[in-house]
Amino acid sequence: ETGTPKYAAYRGLGSSTFKGDAYGSDKQYSFRLLAKEPCQSVHLFEAAIDLLSYATLLKVQGKDYKAENLLSLSGVYQPKKESKDSKIPIALSVFLEKNPLIKTIHLHLDNDKTGRLCAHTLKELLRNKYEVFDEPPKKGKDYNDYLCIQLGIYKSKERFPIHDIGCYNWRGKGSTSEHCIGTAFDINSNENYMIDNGQVLAGSFWSPKKSRYSIPLKCKLVTILNKYGFSRGFWGNRKDYMHFSYLGT
């Protein structure tokens, strides 16, 4: 807010359960993507990765995610045993207070026991003031699962190993990097270096024949990403083997 960072989260990849909020984070400024024009609805998610997966699904369907308000709770919402004793999560209550035009709330919480309980509780707490729809993913535990199923990633025998991935990264007002808007990501950065005229600018190497973490020029992962509009970071003499972006920058 006003150019000052207020919230950040971290999480592990693959089978890792390592995740949390960065020190000093304020959940009322949880991760969100806001509509570019006034909008009377908001879509609610448990975590940022679910939100981004939903936005990606909209893009795959030819829809504009920027036409919607997308808001994460920055973690699992734990209601009280009795719905009437529960409170609305601070991320949502502050958002609704600052956006009085909101009339409709879409709940995209997980398909597990906790997610279903949270959805039921929020419907009870919000139904007197808002139209509330419970819309969990049609398949999988959460919207990231559903995205992978829809893209065919879980069907692939290749199962390319990913041990680190970076997406949104604010790099200043003058930057043209798609990392600033979350439409670019870097996979296994150490094993997929960026070079310019032979000089290594980031990462350590790229060797698909020696490292399973180096992404080959042709593989199922690249094919799927290309199919949905993501191109690799190859620009003349500069080649960024880790980088995939939606707009080509």
Side-chain angles (χ1 to χ4, degrees):
E1 187 175 53
T2 64
T4 303
K6 296 289 187 179
Y7 178 83
Y10 52 83
R11 64 179 294 144
L13 298 170
S15 60
S16 172
T17 58
F18 177 72
K19 58 185 176 181
D21 296 335
Y23 178 77
S25 290
D26 187 343
K27 283 186 180 292
Q28 67 176 295
Y29 296 97
S30 64
F31 183 81
R32 77 275 315 269
L33 295 175
L34 302 182
K36 56 187 176 183
E37 301 292 341
C39 181
Q40 295 185 342
S41 64
V42 60
H43 296 257
L44 193 67
F45 306 85
E46 288 187 21
I49 191 170
D50 301 316
L51 184 159
L52 291 169
S53 297
Y54 182 81
T56 302
L57 281 167
L58 292 180
K59 294 183 73 170
V60 168
Q61 296 165 6
K63 300 176 182 178
D64 184 8
Y65 71 86
K66 295 181 182 179
E68 306 288 347
N69 288 312
L70 309 178
L71 176 71
S72 75
L73 295 179
S74 300
V76 177
Y77 166 52
Q78 294 286 0
K80 300 291 185 180
K81 188 173 183 180
E82 296 292 334
S83 296
K84 61 181 177 62
D85 297 326
S86 298
K87 294 182 179 180
I88 298 174
I90 188 169
L92 179 59
S93 62
V94 171
F95 177 84
L96 293 174
E97 181 182 341
K98 292 183 177 181
N99 295 272
L101 292 178
I102 297 297
K103 295 182 179 179
T104 305
I105 300 174
H106 300 268
L107 305 177
H108 301 291
L109 307 184
D110 290 4
N111 265 328
D112 56 13
K113 182 178 179 180
T114 301
R116 298 298 82 226
L117 175 61
C118 294
H120 172 76
T121 301
L122 286 174
K123 286 189 72 173
E124 290 294 310
L125 293 175
L126 297 165
R127 65 179 181 176
N128 291 331
K129 292 186 64 177
Y130 303 94
E131 190 174 15
V132 184
F133 296 96
D134 184 13
E135 301 171 354
K138 296 177 182 179
K139 296 179 181 178
K141 173 185 174 292
D142 52 39
Y143 266 91
N144 184 245
D145 260 359
Y146 185 44
L147 172 64
C148 291
I149 292 170
Q150 291 299 101
L151 296 183
I153 293 175
Y154 286 167
K155 293 181 180 180
S156 172
K157 294 181 180 180
E158 185 179 276
R159 295 294 181 91
F160 183 83
I162 296 176
H163 67 72
D164 79 75
I165 187 168
C167 183
Y168 176 82
N169 183 358
W170 178 247
R171 298 180 178 180
K173 292 182 179 180
S175 175
T176 59
S177 170
E178 284 186 60
H179 285 291
C180 293
I181 57 175
T183 56
F185 49 89
D186 297 333
I187 300 175
N188 297 347
S189 57
N190 185 60
E191 297 85 2
N192 295 280
Y193 62 16
M194 176 173 68
I195 59 173
D196 192 352
N197 284 314
Q199 180 180 358
V200 178
L201 302 180
S204 298
F205 63 91
W206 177 72
S207 182
K209 293 183 179 180
K210 294 183 179 180
S211 173
R212 66 193 187 105
Y213 296 109
S214 289
I215 306 170
L217 294 178
K218 295 181 180 180
C219 65
K220 186 68 173 180
L221 174 66
V222 173
T223 299
I224 290 174
L225 291 173
N226 289 166
K227 178 180 177 181
Y228 292 102
F230 289 90
S231 59
R232 205 160 186 178
F234 293 167
W235 310 285
N237 291 324
R238 174 170 290 204
K239 299 186 184 300
D240 194 348
Y241 289 90
M242 70 183 82
H243 185 88
F244 292 87
S245 62
Y246 194 74
L247 302 177
T249 61

